[in-house]
Amino acid sequence: MTNEELKIKLTELQPAATFQEGGEWVTINVEVADWLAFAGQLRQEEALFFDYLFCLTCVDWKTHLTMVYHFSSTKYRHNMVVKIKLDRNKPEVETVSHIWRTAEFHEREVYEMFGVNFLNHPDLRLLILPDGWEGKNPLRKDFDDPVNMIKL
Amino acid sequence: MKHTVDKETTLLNESQAPFAGSGEVPYDRYGDTSAGIALGDGDFQINFGPQHPATHGVLHLVITLNGETIKKVEPHLGYIHRSIEKMCESLTYRQFIYVTSRMDYLSAHINNHACALAVEKGLQVEVPARAQVIRVLMDELTRIASHELWWGAMAMDLGAFTPFFHAFRERESINDIMEETCGARLTMNYMVPGGVMHDLHPNFQKRVKEFLQLYKRKIHEYDELVTGNVIFQNRMKGVGYLSAEDAIAYGVSGPSARGSGVSSDIRKLYPYEIYDKLEFDEVLEIAGDSFARYMVRINEMHQSIRIIEQLIDNIPEGDFQAKTKNVLKLPKGDFYTRVETARGELGVYIVSEGGNTPYRIKFRSPGFSNLSVLDHMARGSKIGDLVAMMGTLDLVIPDIDR
Amino acid sequence: MWSFSQIANEIHEWLSKTFNPTWTLIIEMVLAGVAVIGLFAVLGLILVIMERKVSAWIQIRLGPNRVGPKGLMQSMADTVKLMVKEGLTPTGADRIMFNVAPIIAMIVAMLLLAPIAFARNFQLWDLNIGVLYVSCVSSLMVISVLMAGWSSNNKYSLLGAMRSGAQIVSYELSAGLSILTIIVFVGDLQVSKIIASQETGWWIFKGHIPAIIAFITFLIAVTAETNRAPFDLAEAESELTAGFHTEYSGMKFALFFLAEYVNVFIVCAIGATLFLGGWMPFHIGNWTDFNHVMDYIPSSVWFFGKTFFLIFVIMWFRWTFPRLRIDQLLNLEWKYLLPISMINLLIATLMAIMGWHF
């Protein structure tokens, strides 16, 4: 499916969503509340069939956080990007690890690096950071470590 | 074996679950009990790593065993985490490429390549034809070197020491070629935005041709020593089965996914540089077991040789680097590139605010996703199989931890 | 001709002339003990350097080449290093069992040297159940491995020890059955008589196909019994770090290490004795002139030549094959080797009764 067709199809599913222009792939902004249902549609809708979640990450915009999901379809070979704006003080989003298993590890990484709380995640614990790092989120912009971080 | 879409509706939020190191039994997400499995009769846990001969680095797996049978594998990462993503936020677009050599150090060229491509995508720079060919040649040489190291290391995991040295014989000559042109043997730092750092060494073509001859003379030893061995085949066949559905659901990429019949070669699917003009096959095996993954990598080496043979006599004359400004500034926006490293799909996601440093950078490393499938694969098999699975997933720990 | 037995006789005569019979016996026993300990140490050193050189040769590299001429003193240097290292005992370990285990391993290996005929008329103890003695005592080896694994209080050690226990007990069977094949041909358990029976040819040639099958079974079984690759599951370093001796260091580790190599020597010596005629030169039936020429090579050269050839074969296995998995290992024994050696023994018995062998 070309980008234009994808946009039309996605608008049908999410009339409220906005698209971000530019970039090679369709980028859709979704509300947190709609995410879980939308994620299910992305995976199960026969015309979309986004079965491959190849990148899951988060960006700290100082005022808010943005979850970024990159999807690909192994059947149709089309790609898309989903962005979700989160409240920076209490970032919470539904997990998609039951839809794409790979999200389990990636969400754990985002959880410890950005402090995003994934609701209903089966095993939300620190993955990379050692004990005692709960609550400190190294990849947030305001994280500061005077000992190990060198300002250039 | 299928659970692409699981019906786990009663999942608990386990953000306060104890860390396994604290002496508590870790939470089991597939168990019937909600708060974690009590170890059954005869079960015990062992720490596989962080210092262990078969993990090839500081990977720490907490394995729950019943006798020799694996009940659960839980990776604990971070022993070599350098937070490269954070470091890159304070490095300019010229500088950050060099840090990425330290991620997957066995395919340093390809990591650098991915970053250079991402920056070029932002800058809208056209890379000269000569630079493109040089990049592809280097990528494929790196791929062969990486697969050779994997071959030796995997055989060593299975208890055969000799293949390691035989693999290093050929790998050394690749390293010599690299050293001559790039000045380094492991972390090459050869790719820059807009091309390559400097031109090829005059000896390059001659040395590569010598290597091709050596390789063709010696490659049959690989099959004689390892592939055809009965013990080896028994250790690999039917071990670590991964279905195509699971491979996709777990985000497995590269040779590990192609062993399960998932077409996932970025070079074919989303070609970059001149890969769409080259003749090579995407190696696919459908068995999905360790032996299939093994065969994919062995055959990929042949395909890489094919690519090098097509290019080595056809390196176009011209610039090796496009003209770029001294200070690179990417326009505001997101830029994502995908390349095929020796281990799978490497994604570089750059978020730019218009400055000369990336605002946020994310490396989607193949090892991280490939590791996540290990627990699913290993359950119910013997501890001896675990090393075979880890061997054929080709885990490189700095790539997982970044 | 200069030979071991001549030296031994001269020492004996000189002692008999100088001392009374009791003292002679005591001094001879002490001498024999010292000789065994010396042999034990020398064998360990030689086999370690041999293994390193063989592996280097197979792996297209040079191997140790710094200490002494061509690196031949490397294992001496290693011994010194191991001796000055601290022998740690883990806190949670069972101290007595932990410290006794390597000594048992060494004692077993030393006991096994007793009935081996190193040359013509040169044997410590030619007891009438020689081969039976060897197979009994060698099975004690598993006790030291189990003790080491259990007392270390380490899960890797325990896993390794349990693997080793299962493995040694299983492979004892086919090793025993293949030894029996030759004993059936000879009709005697005494080592000197087994060797004497090969006057007209070695059993591997005289015993037709059953002897060859028995020889191959024996090689596989003893490789497994001595815990060497491809059957080194007890110490599979890519799975269990070092298996049963994970917690051992210094001289305690060295004893296990030495015992392993001396065990390899012993099983190869037994194999050479049973199948390749021990010290007996290469004889063919009644070609008396040919046999006479062969006799000019000293018997000790024949014995050590054959033994080291077998040792080389076992080393060759180690540096070529990958390791088996535990279930495959037991399958190989119980589903293939054991039935084959039983049928083989039956055929051999039939041949011995009918007198079909040479």
Side-chain angles (χ1 to χ4, degrees), chain B residues 31-285:
Chain B
D32 298 324
T33 52
S34 53
I37 43 164
L39 293 180
D41 203 16
D43 291 359
F44 61 99
Q45 285 186 320
I46 58 172
N47 285 303
F48 203 79
Q51 270 78 37
H52 191 282
T55 55
H56 303 298
V58 281
L59 178 64
H60 181 193
L61 304 172
V62 177
I63 308 176
T64 308
L65 287 172
N66 186 328
E68 289 261 343
T69 312
I70 295 168
K71 292 182 85 175
K72 182 172 155 57
V73 178
E74 193 190 351
H76 288 183
L77 306 177
Y79 288 90
I80 195 167
H81 194 271
R82 294 139 294 174
S83 207
I84 285 179
E85 290 170 12
K86 185 84 175 175
M87 280 158 76
C88 290
E89 286 174 14
S90 55
L91 296 173
T92 66
Y93 288 113
R94 283 199 191 281
Q95 290 169 334
F96 89 95
I97 294 180
Y98 306 133
V99 186
T100 58
S101 300
R102 278 82 180 162
M103 290 197 313
D104 179 354
Y105 52 84
L106 292 179
S107 42
H109 260 314
I110 311 182
N111 293 348
N112 295 347
H113 194 170
C115 300
L117 279 176
V119 175
E120 280 153 17
K121 192 179 260 180
L123 290 172
Q124 307 275 336
V125 173
E126 188 65 35
V127 180
R130 182 176 174 84
Q132 292 197 8
V133 171
I134 294 174
R135 281 178 170 189
V136 170
L137 272 171
M138 288 300 183
D139 278 7
E140 295 309 317
L141 283 174
T142 310
R143 199 183 309 280
I144 296 172
S146 170
H147 282 350
E148 254 159 13
L149 183 83
W150 155 82
W151 181 77
M154 189 216 56
M156 197 150 78
D157 286 349
L158 294 179
F161 290 87
T162 307
F164 194 72
F165 294 91
H166 286 247
F168 258 63
R169 180 183 52 194
E170 277 83 62
R171 192 172 180 272
E172 275 302 301
S173 45
I174 295 184
N175 277 351
D176 289 343
I177 293 169
M178 296 287 184
E179 190 183 9
E180 214 170 48
T181 292
C182 317
R185 294 167 72 85
L186 199 64
T187 50
M188 284 77 162
N189 304 336
Y190 187 53
M191 313 274 180
V192 293
V196 293
M197 191 180 266
H198 37 70
D199 210 351
L200 289 174
H201 192 276
N203 280 345
F204 181 79
Q205 273 169 306
K206 194 178 100 224
R207 295 288 289 271
V208 171
K209 280 178 195 162
E210 278 169 12
F211 162 73
L212 290 178
Q213 273 184 348
L214 171 86
Y215 186 82
K216 281 182 182 156
R217 220 167 48 239
K218 300 288 186 185
I219 186 71
H220 67 97
E221 284 184 5
Y222 290 32
D223 292 339
E224 284 166 11
L225 194 57
V226 172
T227 315
N229 190 309
V230 179
I231 299 175
F232 176 77
Q233 293 201 355
N234 281 335
R235 286 293 303 274
M236 301 292 266
K237 283 189 176 160
V239 167
Y241 176 72
L242 178 66
S243 67
E245 290 86 10
D246 285 339
I248 294 168
Y250 277 94
V252 178
S253 58
S256 308
R258 292 198 279 281
S260 300
V262 180
S263 169
S264 61
D265 195 336
I266 306 293
R267 295 175 294 173
K268 279 275 181 205
L269 299 176
Y270 309 102
Y272 51 97
E273 305 288 15
I274 49 162
Y275 277 114
D276 48 348
K277 294 176 201 136
L278 295 171
E279 268 183 43
F280 68 101
D281 299 326
E282 178 177 4
V283 184
L284 281 178
E285 294 273 337

Side-chain angles (χ1 to χ4, degrees), chain C residues 319-351:
Chain C
W319 298 109
T320 315
F321 289 134
R323 185 181 302 121
L324 273 82
R325 205 170 59 211
I326 183 74
D327 54 328
Q328 293 167 346
L329 177 92
L330 297 178
N331 273 352
L332 174 69
E333 164 64 19
W334 292 97
K335 289 190 180 164
Y336 301 100
L337 286 187
L338 188 61
I340 288 173
S341 14
M342 280 174 141
I343 293 165
N344 190 44
L345 180 62
L346 209 65
I347 298 168
T349 316
L350 195 68
M351 279 173 62

Side-chain angles (χ1 to χ4, degrees), chain C residues 22 25 114-115 123 143 149 180 198 234 357:
Chain C
T22 320
L25 186 66
Q123 197 175 2
I143 290 175
L180 268 183
Q198 305 186 60
H357 61 82

Side-chain angles (χ1 to χ4, degrees), chain C residues 274-349:
Chain C
L274 290 171
F275 296 95
L276 306 175
W279 53 259
M280 188 63 75
F282 184 62
H283 285 178
I284 301 177
N286 41 15
W287 295 15
T288 32
D289 295 338
F290 176 80
N291 295 347
H292 197 62
V293 172
M294 285 292 158
D295 286 341
Y296 274 103
I297 302 172
S299 55
S300 53
V301 172
W302 280 107
F303 172 76
F304 283 105
K306 290 167 191 172
T307 309
F308 276 88
F309 169 71
L310 288 184
I311 292 172
F312 171 74
V313 170
I314 284 184
M315 285 180 181
W316 191 2
F317 286 167
R318 170 162 181 184
W319 298 109
T320 315
F321 289 134
R323 185 181 302 121
L324 273 82
R325 205 170 59 211
I326 183 74
D327 54 328
Q328 293 167 346
L329 177 92
L330 297 178
N331 273 352
L332 174 69
E333 164 64 19
W334 292 97
K335 289 190 180 164
Y336 301 100
L337 286 187
L338 188 61
I340 288 173
S341 14
M342 280 174 141
I343 293 165
N344 190 44
L345 180 62
L346 209 65
I347 298 168
T349 316

